[in-house]
C-alpha cells in the first residue's frame, strides 16, 4: 500500500541518517566543555504550489496523471515525515500539509533538509479528454494499449526487484538559522532530475 511504502522509505532514510552520524562521530574528536546553546526548531504550514499548463488546469485537458505526495524533514538523526496527500491532480493549485514537525536540542549551526517525494497513482488509466461515446474498434485499441502498458510496468517491477508503490525524490531544500522566523516565508527548492515523471507532449 501507499502508506507501507512511505513508512519503508522513512525507515530507510532514518537508518541512513543514524549510520552517517556514527561515521561522523568516529572521525571527529570528542568535544569538551560548553558547545553552544540548544533550542527547539519547528516546521509548520508547509505549502507546495503546483504549476500546470493552462490547458491542464483550466480546460481540464492534457496531463491526467494523479500523484501521492509527502515530505521528509531531517536535522541530523532527527527525521520526521508529513502526512500522505493523495490524490493530487491538475484540479489542485497547491498541496498543503497541516503537520507540525518539532526538532529537539538543535544547535545554532543546524542544517534542515526538506525533501518532497511523489508517486504516480496507477489505478486510473482514463484519459479525461476522451469523448464518452467512442467506437468499439477504438475502445478495443485503447484496451489493448492499456494492457500492454500494465504488462510492461509489471515486467519492469519484476526485473528491478521493486514490487508495489515506489516514491521518488522530486525536490529538496536546505534551511539554516538564517531562515528561522515566526512568519511564513517562501523558499526555493531544487528540482531533482528524474525522467520518470517527465511528460512529453
Amino acid at each position: 500500500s501507499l502508506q507501507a511504502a512511505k513508512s519503508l522509505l522513512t525507515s530507510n532514510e532514518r537508518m541512513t541518517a543514524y549510520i552517517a552520524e556514527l561515521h561522523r562521530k568516529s572521525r571527529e574528536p570528542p568535544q569538551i566543555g560548553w558547545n553552544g546553546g540548544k533550542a527547539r526548531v519547528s516546521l509548520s504550514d508547509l505549502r507546495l504550489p503546483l504549476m500546470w499548463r493552462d490547458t491542464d488546469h483550466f480546460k481540464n485537458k492534457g496531463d491526467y496523471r494523479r500523484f501521492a505526495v509527502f515530505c521528509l524533514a531531517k536535522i541530523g538523526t532527527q527525521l520526521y515525515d508529513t502526512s500522505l496527500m493523495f490524490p493530487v491532480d491538475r484540479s489542485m493549485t497547491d498541496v498543503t500539509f497541516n503537520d507540525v514537525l518539532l526538532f529537539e536540542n538543535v544547535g545554532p549551526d543546524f542544517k534542515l533538509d526538506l525533501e518532497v517525494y511523489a508517486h504516480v497513482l496507477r489505478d486510473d488509466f482514463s484519459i479525461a479528454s476522451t469523448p464518452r461515446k467512442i467506437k468499439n474498434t477504438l475502445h478495443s485499441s485503447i484496451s489493448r494499449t492499456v494492457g500492454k502498458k500494465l504488462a510492461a510496468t509489471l515486467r519492469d517491477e519484476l526485473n528491478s526487484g521493486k514490487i508495489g508503490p515506489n516514491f521518488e525524490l522530486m525536490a529538496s531544500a536546505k534551511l539554516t538559522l538564517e531562515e528561522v522566523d515566526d512568519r511564513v516565508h517562501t523558499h526555493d527548492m531544487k528540482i531533482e532530475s528524474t525522467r520518470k515523471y517527465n511528460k512529453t507532449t
Side-chain angles (χ1 to χ4, degrees):
S1 67
L2 290 172
Q3 193 63 46
K6 171 177 174 286
S7 299
L8 179 60
L9 188 150
T10 302
S11 298
N12 289 339
E13 290 294 322
R14 184 172 286 114
M15 183 63 67
T16 300
Y18 277 118
I19 294 175
E21 182 68 11
L22 287 175
H23 284 306
R24 185 187 67 82
K25 288 185 175 181
S26 65
R27 294 192 303 266
E28 294 182 356
Q31 296 182 353
I32 301 176
W34 186 75
N35 58 355
K38 302 288 186 179
R40 288 181 174 180
V41 174
S42 65
L43 183 65
S44 61
D45 298 320
L46 282 174
R47 181 179 177 184
L48 305 176
L50 302 177
M51 296 183 64
W52 305 95
R53 295 175 303 179
D54 291 344
T55 53
D56 293 335
H57 181 67
F58 295 105
K59 297 182 180 180
N60 198 31
K61 296 180 179 179
D63 197 341
Y64 58 89
R65 294 174 300 174
R66 302 187 303 164
F67 299 84
V69 182
F70 75 97
C71 296
L72 281 183
K74 49 189 173 183
I75 299 178
T77 58
Q78 298 185 63
L79 187 148
Y80 300 102
D81 57 337
T82 66
S83 53
L84 182 64
M85 304 299 294
F86 71 95
V88 176
D89 59 23
R90 64 189 178 192
S91 66
M92 304 171 64
T93 57
D94 59 71
V95 181
T96 302
F97 301 93
N98 296 321
D99 309 82
V100 178
L101 309 180
L102 183 62
F103 299 87
E104 301 281 355
N105 299 319
V106 177
D109 58 344
F110 75 89
K111 293 181 180 179
L112 189 153
D113 292 309
L114 179 62
E115 299 174 342
V116 180
Y117 289 86
H119 167 71
V120 175
L121 301 176
R122 293 173 179 166
D123 59 350
D124 185 5
F125 288 91
S126 62
I127 302 176
S129 58
T130 302
R132 293 183 179 179
K133 295 182 179 180
I134 55 178
K135 295 182 179 179
N136 292 333
T137 54
L138 180 59
H139 183 273
S140 299
S141 177
I142 292 177
S143 299
R144 287 195 296 270
T145 301
V146 171
K148 290 179 181 179
K149 288 184 178 180
L150 283 171
T153 299
L154 182 58
R155 284 197 302 270
D156 291 341
E157 290 185 347
L158 289 174
N159 292 334
S160 63
K162 296 179 180 179
I163 300 296
N166 182 32
F167 284 92
E168 297 285 344
L169 177 62
M170 303 302 295
S172 62
K174 288 186 179 293
L175 306 177
T176 62
L177 184 62
E178 296 180 356
E179 281 78 37
V180 174
D181 202 305
D182 292 333
R183 297 168 296 178
V184 176
H185 276 260
T186 300
H187 304 283
D188 294 330
M189 302 197 76
K190 175 186 175 184
I191 304 299
E192 302 295 334
S193 59
T194 172
R195 290 183 295 178
K196 181 177 180 179
Y197 297 125
N198 291 340
K199 183 176 178 63
T200 57
T201 57

